[in-house]
Amino acid sequence: MELKSKIPEGPLAEKWTRHKFGLKLVNPSNKRKYDIIVVGTGLAGASAAASLAELGYNVTALCFQDSPRRAHSIAAQGGINAAKNYQNDGDSVFRLFYDTIKGGDYRSREGNVHRLAEVSVNIIDQCVAQGVPFAREYGGLLANRSFGGAQVSRTFYARGQTGQQLLLGAYSALSRQVANGKVKLLTRTEMLDLVVEDGKTRGIVTRNLITGKIESHSAHAVLLCTGGYGNVFYLSTNAMGSNVTAAWRAHKHGALMANPCFTQIHPTCIPVKGDYQSKLTLMSESLRNDGRVWVPKTKELANQIRKGERKPTDLKEDERDYYLERRYPSFGNLVPRDVASRNAKAVCDEGRGVSKTGLAVYLDFADAINRDGRKTIEAKYGNLFEMYEKIVDNNPYETPMMIYPAVHYTMGGLWVDYNLMTTVPGLYALGEANFSDHGANRLGASALMQGLADGYFVIPYTVGDYLATIGPADKLPVTAPAFREAEQRVTTVIEKMLAIKGTKPVDDFHRELGLIMWDYCGMSRTAEGLTKARGLIKDLKAEFWSNVRITGESEELNQSLEAASRVADFIELGALMIEDALNRDESCGGHFREEYQTPDGEALRDDADFAYVAAWEYQGDNQPEKLNKETLEFENVKLTQRSYK
Amino acid sequence: MQPLRRTDYDFTTAVADHLQFLYKMKVNLKVWRQKNNNTAGKLVEYGLDNISPDMSFLEMFDVLNGELTRKGEEPVAFDHDCREGICGMCSMYINGRAHGPQTGATTCQLHMRSFSDGDTIVVEPWRARAFPVLKDLMVDRSAFDRVIQSGGYVSVNTGSAPDANEIAIPRSVSDEAMDAAQCIGCGACVAACKNASAMLFVAAKVSHMAVLPQGKAESTLRAERMVAQMDAEGFGACSFTGACSVECPKSISLDHIARMNREYLGAKLTSENMQG
Ligand SMILES: Cc1cc2nc3c(=O)[nH]c(=O)nc-3n(C[C@H](O)[C@H](O)[C@H](O)COP(=O)(O)OP(=O)(O)OC[C@H]3O[C@@H](n4cnc5c(N)ncnc54)[C@H](O)[C@@H]3O)c2cc1C
Ligand code: SF4
Ligand code: FES
């Protein structure tokens, strides 16, 4: 398949402006003749649905939760980047662009990333106008902070609840359009299939999660804003319901999956406590601005701590190893996420980890409290400290926090062109569900930016180009055979699952999948481990389809059925992630192949052979997928070895 | 017990021993079971004896559901998603209190260490006319969405916003807005109120928007519409007892209700805004 990225010609800074001018427009009075389905109401979906409805399109928006306001975006804590340069500290659109490309280890598209940096400034304006209560200085102007990996202060935030406030802003705009009758809202509704006919997207099939009813919805275009697939690891910082189902089912209809193995492991999460653990909690990365990361200098000391013979506060300065400050003198504790995570794993693998499990490092605020006073630290991080204490039952003002990396974000996702269209005409992917802007590693505070950029400022322009091309008549009624067949497909799979009546609950399969992925396709990977994982997943899939136990019926509210259908897709996605990780014989960003590292243990890229997007094409059940490559062109940045020394 | 990890780091056994030692709490659960909205429900007893005090309350339910599934019984349906106190999805009425015994926390933030070995714990859904039970512990809170749709927004279209720093907003004002805006829409205030009033939820949104210059213009209209919708949904009247604020996981203050009544609802609900 030939991948046309449709990145416009011309100088970087003019590409988006030129492109917008070149796009076809839908006449204002014609917009109401077009129907658009928006799957997902997180930042990407809610902003898209509201903006498209404001333009006059008929929108149907759906989510699996009981309200659009509960999308996983609500949980983002730290902040959102924008190149406003309000602090006069040297930020600019180009710098944000540059940082994002470099932070992504040169595996993203220049054109997309520059556009993202450009529209970032409009996002903040929009959110403030909606009433988002961003943090402010005493003078009344907006406050900023610097955030993981950035050397300028460009992050806007609302206490530790930035995602919540941004989502509530988008949700309010969406609610206004529901009231105006321009958005039809379907909650507790899950998309289970895509309908494609004559090479165009025609609509979707859903399951009503209360009644179990399978229903069809027809539209001219479908936008998948369904978030990331981090839950393939079972334990992650994602919400319990976050899943890959919509994207995966679209993949089976020809939408390519790009760089699926690019996963972000966040360095500052609360460590795992037990096998009953159901999810992991992130401690905002902003903590690294003031907290110092360390482990005991020796294995023996670490052992004493694990056994409870000594307390961390007993350890003298020369018994501690502030390993990030030692290895990266200029960035110190603020190195990018992938680097911080890998280093935490390395010191724990050496046996110097703390906590009973040995899978934790310290994040220590003692110096910051001595320097700035407890009040200041409380004002900055009070709610995070409280959250930590609630979970761990330990007071971080008095003893260092314990943290460990956890799966957090997926850079990979559905392949999209510059217009955010997938390889299926009329099917778009926005937000974390697409692969487009973060390369092999995402910078902190850039996902919120990307979700809102896609929804507020990109899709309202680009979707019109497609709609104007096909015309309002080019739509299938829900009574068309294509919809009947899709409903039948969905029903058949559900019946097949319910008929297994095995012995093992769905969660057990999910946990096992997670362990395989974490061990072999997590923070560091080897060809040997991945090959082994390939076999393990194959077995797991076979066992799932012969031994899963789902109670209840399909025509009712049935949470174990919902979970089973998501886990089935995760297993298949896991297999593809492993193939992708095996194929990429280099290390870059979050993808660390142990075979490819510099003498001092940093990721070693291979630009000559791997400066491409790996876009996988589905070939049928249990068939190896076909690899398509989109070569990445760099005209404005020089590819260098990332160095944070 | 399953191993913590598939590969064998040397601490695995040590951890397993440690955990085994911790899994010792017993609890006696009485859980509301109701097949759907058309059938009657009842409390059903379940005993668990392998609970760790470090488990979250919902993880304890995961354990219960795992056991029920293995026995071929239907697991307990309950709402949850983020499991970190921000999405507002979890909603259990535990021993007579919305979100359980811990103040300033949601159900998902509650840990078993808040209970004692051998405790009996009664778990019910939110009870309110406007929140019909869907199944077991799940209720329908879409009434809250409709209340927001009636006016909980600033009327601004995408692309029409002025520069974000054009209007300076004193920090005290933006802090006040943020205090109100933290509401997670969980409905505990309704569940805690003897009248099942949604006044705290409504007032939080009205306050959040009204104190900010961006939201001022529509503030009276917004308050009137939202209160009218609240009434239409079947939420009860507010008698200002304050139970809502006590049980609110985000500690939303009663002051917001007072402000809304004073500043925005002085005008009668029959003002010209409300016609049509
Ligand atoms: C704990 C945490 C903290 C974070 N902090 C930050 C931060 O500080 N800054 C930052 O920039 N980023 C942060 N991120 C990342 C960021 O929050 C996410 O990448 C982003 O919010 C994703 O938004 P989205 O709109 O793409 O998807 P989501 O918000 O995940 O929304 C997905 C939507 O799709 C719906 N959906 C999914 N599947 C289906 C289906 N099959 N049928 C129907 N509906 C479906 C869901 O109901 C939901 O409405 C954080 C992430 C986590 C986990
Ligand atoms: S006011 Fe408090 S209790 Fe009521 S919905 Fe909001 S957060 Fe929940
Ligand atoms: S599950 Fe999200 S608040 Fe409890």
Side-chain angles (χ1 to χ4, degrees), chain A residues 124-438:
Chain A
I124 304 303
D125 299 342
Q126 189 62 35
C127 297
V128 167
Q130 289 167 346
V132 171
F134 283 121
R136 288 177 182 267
E137 304 293 352
Y138 283 109
L141 298 180
L142 291 161
N144 288 120
R145 62 181 166 208
S146 84
F147 210 69
Q151 289 182 309
V152 291
S153 278
R154 62 159 78 97
T155 305
F156 295 78
Y157 61 100
R159 291 196 191 142
Q161 293 115 288
T162 316
Q164 179 196 28
Q165 294 310 313
L166 296 174
L167 183 60
L168 292 182
Y171 163 71
S172 71
L174 175 67
S175 298
R176 178 169 161 247
Q177 294 309 315
V178 175
N180 284 345
K182 289 306 289 181
V183 174
K184 187 171 134 201
L185 187 62
L186 302 172
T187 59
R188 294 205 199 260
T189 303
E190 181 156 13
M191 167 180 163
L192 290 182
D193 212 348
L194 182 74
V195 179
V196 182
E197 192 168 82
D198 292 336
K200 289 186 200 125
T201 301
R202 303 301 181 171
I204 61 171
V205 173
T206 59
R207 180 166 179 273
N208 177 321
L209 298 183
I210 301 173
T211 62
K213 201 159 172 252
I214 304 297
E215 286 159 323
S216 287
H217 312 263
S218 157
H220 295 89
V222 172
L223 278 45
L224 298 186
C225 311
T226 46
Y229 50 80
N231 277 349
V232 67
F233 291 86
Y234 185 66
L235 287 183
S236 84
T237 63
N238 287 8
M240 299 296 287
S242 298
N243 69 88
V244 76
T245 290
W248 192 253
R249 310 258 164 126
H251 177 58
K252 292 190 169 177
H253 285 282
L256 303 197
M257 259 291 180
N259 301 333
C261 82
F262 285 175
T263 315
Q264 180 160 79
I265 317 266
H266 195 291
T268 54
C269 303
I270 298 182
V272 177
K273 275 178 317 203
D275 60 355
Y276 52 80
Q277 188 105 21
S278 57
K279 76 152 293 190
L280 294 170
T281 304
L282 176 80
M283 290 275 96
S284 169
E285 164 160 60
S286 59
L287 293 169
R288 283 201 279 148
N289 285 339
D290 286 297
R292 297 180 70 195
V293 178
W294 64 275
V295 289
K297 214 163 218 163
T298 64
K299 237 168 133 163
E300 291 65 42
L301 286 167
N303 248 327
Q304 292 171 3
I305 292 207
R306 289 211 285 270
K307 289 201 199 119
E309 293 165 11
R310 291 182 75 179
K311 291 205 289 278
T313 42
D314 297 341
L315 259 58
K316 295 198 270 309
E317 279 302 300
D318 65 358
E319 292 175 311
R320 303 171 175 205
D321 178 13
Y322 295 91
Y323 57 91
L324 289 178
E325 296 172 20
R326 174 170 58 78
R327 293 194 63 186
Y328 309 94
S330 78
F331 277 69
N333 295 301
L334 293 175
V335 290
R337 292 176 173 176
D338 52 339
V339 179
S341 293
R342 221 150 34 232
N343 277 280
K345 178 179 190 299
V347 293
C348 290
D349 286 353
E350 285 167 22
R352 295 195 289 144
V354 294
S355 122
K356 299 227 159 67
T357 60
L359 286 179
V361 301
Y362 289 126
L363 181 62
D364 198 334
F365 291 87
D367 288 345
I369 292 173
N370 282 337
R371 186 186 63 223
D372 303 336
R374 179 174 162 145
K375 270 232 146 59
T376 310
I377 296 302
E378 200 172 322
K380 278 192 188 165
Y381 310 114
N383 65 323
L384 294 171
F385 278 35
E386 227 175 84
M387 182 162 109
Y388 180 86
E389 194 171 352
K390 260 181 208 151
I391 297 174
V392 184
D393 207 18
N394 232 327
N395 181 347
Y397 292 103
E398 281 156 20
T399 181
M401 269 185 188
M402 284 185 287
I403 53 165
Y404 198 66
V407 172
H408 178 57
Y409 182 87
T410 49
M411 281 75 70
L414 291 170
W415 185 92
V416 289
D417 64 15
Y418 191 70
N419 292 329
L420 304 181
M421 202 199 280
T422 67
T423 41
V424 180
L427 179 71
Y428 294 77
L430 282 63
E432 193 173 337
N434 73 26
F435 87 106
S436 73
D437 295 352
H438 307 292

Side-chain angles (χ1 to χ4, degrees), chain A residues 51 54 64-70 74-75 77 84 86 124-126 128-142 158-159 161 164-165 168 171-173 175-179 185 187-188 210 237 239-242 272-282 345 349 356-357 359 387 389-393 456-457 503 505 507-508 511-512 515-516 518-520 536 549 551-552 556-560, chain B residues 1-7 9 11 15 18-19 23 35 52 54-56 59 62-63 66 69-84 86-89 102-105 109 111 113 134-135 138-142 144-145 148-150 152-165 167-171 174-179 181-186 201 205 208-209 212 214 250:
Chain A
S51 305
E54 285 163 11
F64 65 76
Q65 292 94 340
D66 69 336
S67 163
R69 66 181 291 156
R70 309 214 197 276
I74 202 92
Q77 304 169 349
K84 280 284 197 187
Y86 281 158
I124 304 303
D125 299 342
Q126 189 62 35
V128 167
Q130 289 167 346
V132 171
F134 283 121
R136 288 177 182 267
E137 304 293 352
Y138 283 109
L141 298 180
L142 291 161
R159 291 196 191 142
Q161 293 115 288
Q164 179 196 28
Q165 294 310 313
L168 292 182
Y171 163 71
S172 71
S175 298
R176 178 169 161 247
Q177 294 309 315
V178 175
L185 187 62
T187 59
R188 294 205 199 260
I210 301 173
T237 63
M240 299 296 287
S242 298
V272 177
K273 275 178 317 203
D275 60 355
Y276 52 80
Q277 188 105 21
S278 57
K279 76 152 293 190
L280 294 170
T281 304
L282 176 80
K345 178 179 190 299
D349 286 353
K356 299 227 159 67
T357 60
L359 286 179
M387 182 162 109
E389 194 171 352
K390 260 181 208 151
I391 297 174
V392 184
D393 207 18
Y456 284 136
F457 297 110
T503 60
D507 267 11
D508 290 15
R511 277 200 175 87
E512 273 182 47
L515 290 171
I516 299 172
W518 179 247
D519 280 351
Y520 302 110
L536 293 173
R549 165 171 286 182
T551 53
E556 63 175 353
L557 198 161
N558 186 337
Q559 290 180 313
S560 55
Chain B
M1 191 172 77
Q2 285 181 22
L4 261 183
R5 299 169 63 97
R6 188 170 277 260
T7 49
Y9 282 78
F11 48 74
V15 176
H18 167 67
L19 294 173
Y23 285 49
K35 193 163 173 50
S52 154
D54 282 336
M55 272 181 196
S56 74
E59 284 166 346
D62 293 341
V63 172
T69 308
R70 267 177 254 273
K71 281 194 277 184
E73 291 177 35
E74 269 216 53
V76 181
F78 63 91
D79 266 325
H80 65 108
D81 201 19
C82 75
R83 294 207 177 186
E84 55 186 64
I86 192 73
C87 74
M89 195 100 180
Q102 204 178 353
T103 49
Q109 290 177 305
H111 283 77
R113 64 177 89 94
L134 294 172
K135 182 172 185 172
M138 287 168 85
V139 299
D140 178 356
R141 286 170 289 191
S142 52
F144 268 11
D145 278 339
I148 296 292
Q149 286 154 18
S150 71
Y153 43 76
V154 175
S155 299
V156 54
N157 280 359
T158 304
S160 58
D163 184 85
N165 256 348
I167 309 173
I169 302 176
R171 188 158 161 175
S174 83
D175 277 350
E176 204 182 341
M178 183 65 199
D179 286 342
Q182 295 190 85
C183 163
I184 57 173
C186 62
F201 168 78
K205 187 49 57 190
H208 155 213
M209 296 198 151
L212 293 171
Q214 286 83 2
K250 298 293 145 181

